[in-house]
Amino acid sequence: LMQNFGANVQFTPRDVVLPRHEDDVLAALHQFRGRKLRAIGRLHSWSEAPRGDDVVFDLRHLNQVEVTHD
């Protein structure tokens, strides 16, 4: 069970990924290809925005996220 800091939003995703390095992110993206992914931070939201029922990427251990296009 995951919940936001205010405990007013609770959800149970099928899978949770807690990457610590870029390689962890890339491996999980490959593993869960074709599934619905939701990226979350520290769950400081009162809305339903962080809710994810399939695969949740909990990015709390990453200090930077950069999107690049090859």
Side-chain angles (χ1 to χ4, degrees), residues 2-70:
M2 299 184 82
Q3 63 184 21
N4 68 341
F5 77 105
N8 68 313
V9 177
Q10 297 179 347
F11 55 99
T12 305
R14 285 182 55 198
D15 293 291
V16 177
V17 178
L18 196 64
R20 292 184 177 274
H21 306 283
E22 180 181 0
D23 291 341
D24 299 336
V25 173
L26 296 174
L29 288 173
H30 178 73
Q31 178 182 353
F32 297 112
R33 180 181 221 147
R35 296 199 27 208
K36 186 175 179 183
L37 308 176
R38 168 76 65 189
I40 61 170
R42 297 205 179 259
L43 292 172
H44 288 284
S45 173
W46 289 98
S47 74
E48 296 283 325
R51 180 182 297 277
D53 297 321
D54 194 6
V55 181
V56 169
F57 273 66
D58 183 336
L59 305 178
R60 76 178 75 198
H61 295 299
L62 300 179
N63 61 7
Q64 178 180 343
V65 175
E66 182 180 331
V67 177
T68 61
H69 300 280
D70 292 336

